[in-house]
Amino acid sequence: AKKAPGARIVGMPIAFGEVSGSMANASLLSLLAFLLVVLPSVYITPFTFSPHPVLLAASTLIASVQGILALFGKPLDRAQARERHLRMQLLSGVLMILGVGSILIHKAIMGKSLMPRTNHGVAGWVVVGLYVLQIIFGLAKHTVLLSTGQKVYRWHGLVGSWAWVGASINVATGTVLVLPSIPATLASAATVMLIIKVGKK
């Protein structure tokens, strides 16, 4: 069968399969945003703090993006796409929990309050709560679909999209808090571009 113009398929190992050129661009942009956030953060922030941006950026800008794009992957069928979405979002959740744990350990070492004191911290906890709920309902949705073929919790996709946008914005605001102006601007710009790019899928 002939491929439609513009539907060229390219290999993207980061996406664990073949994806369209447009999706490959989103994957590369997510990797760029991740590197712009992580590299300056690791270099500038204290050793006990640096795992926080690394893990949260990996969760939001790499794993979650691949989980979202998995549902648009061609020539994957819907069952394969859902399996990949599930695996990547579970990975995203694990990375997010580890990232939250790392900042709590850092605060304990520094003798700071474990309660969030900034808008970034409060928003972070809201996003984590949404991700946890999304994982719980996503697993339930997947289980019901496999066992009965019935589609439940149809709001799951919409809430998940907004949770990811919130997480991405919080990554961007976090870079503004800890990085010098130029690295923070580049990282934030790449993250915003990623939100726009993925939102067009």
Side-chain angles (χ1 to χ4, degrees), residues 26-194:
S27 294
L28 291 174
L29 183 56
S30 75
L31 180 59
L32 173 63
F34 171 75
L35 292 175
L36 286 172
V37 170
V38 166
L39 293 181
S41 298
V42 171
Y43 180 75
I44 292 169
T45 58
F47 174 75
T48 55
F49 178 85
S50 57
H52 177 68
V54 172
L55 292 165
L56 268 295
S59 168
T60 304
L61 303 180
I62 299 294
S64 273
V65 170
Q66 293 305 314
I68 293 169
L69 295 181
L71 293 177
F72 298 90
K74 293 181 179 180
L76 302 176
D77 61 32
R78 290 296 292 179
Q80 289 176 315
R82 282 191 289 266
E83 287 292 335
R84 294 185 183 209
H85 172 77
L86 176 64
R87 289 197 297 269
M88 295 311 299
Q89 296 302 71
L90 285 174
L91 174 60
S92 174
V94 170
L95 291 170
M96 183 169 287
I97 290 171
L98 291 174
V100 171
S102 70
I103 192 62
L104 294 177
I105 291 171
H106 170 74
K107 287 186 173 185
I109 291 172
M110 301 298 292
K112 296 181 178 180
S113 170
L114 299 183
M115 298 300 294
R117 296 295 181 88
T118 64
N119 291 335
H120 173 75
V122 172
W125 278 108
V126 172
V127 166
V128 170
L130 285 174
Y131 262 67
V132 170
L133 288 175
Q134 279 294 101
I135 289 172
I136 292 171
F137 282 100
L139 286 170
K141 179 183 177 76
H142 187 72
T143 301
V144 171
L145 184 63
L146 288 180
S147 60
T148 69
Q150 182 182 2
K151 293 183 178 180
V152 296
Y153 309 131
R154 292 178 178 271
W155 45 263
H156 174 76
L158 179 61
V159 174
S161 297
W162 282 109
W164 176 75
V165 169
S168 298
I169 292 173
N170 216 38
V171 167
T173 58
T175 65
V176 173
L177 293 174
V178 300
L179 298 183
S181 58
I182 293 178
T185 300
L186 292 174
S188 299
T191 304
V192 171
M193 289 171 61
L194 175 63

Side-chain angles (χ1 to χ4, degrees), residues 5-18:
R8 181 172 61 88
I9 302 300
V10 297
M12 278 296 295
I14 193 173
F16 302 97
E18 289 189 331

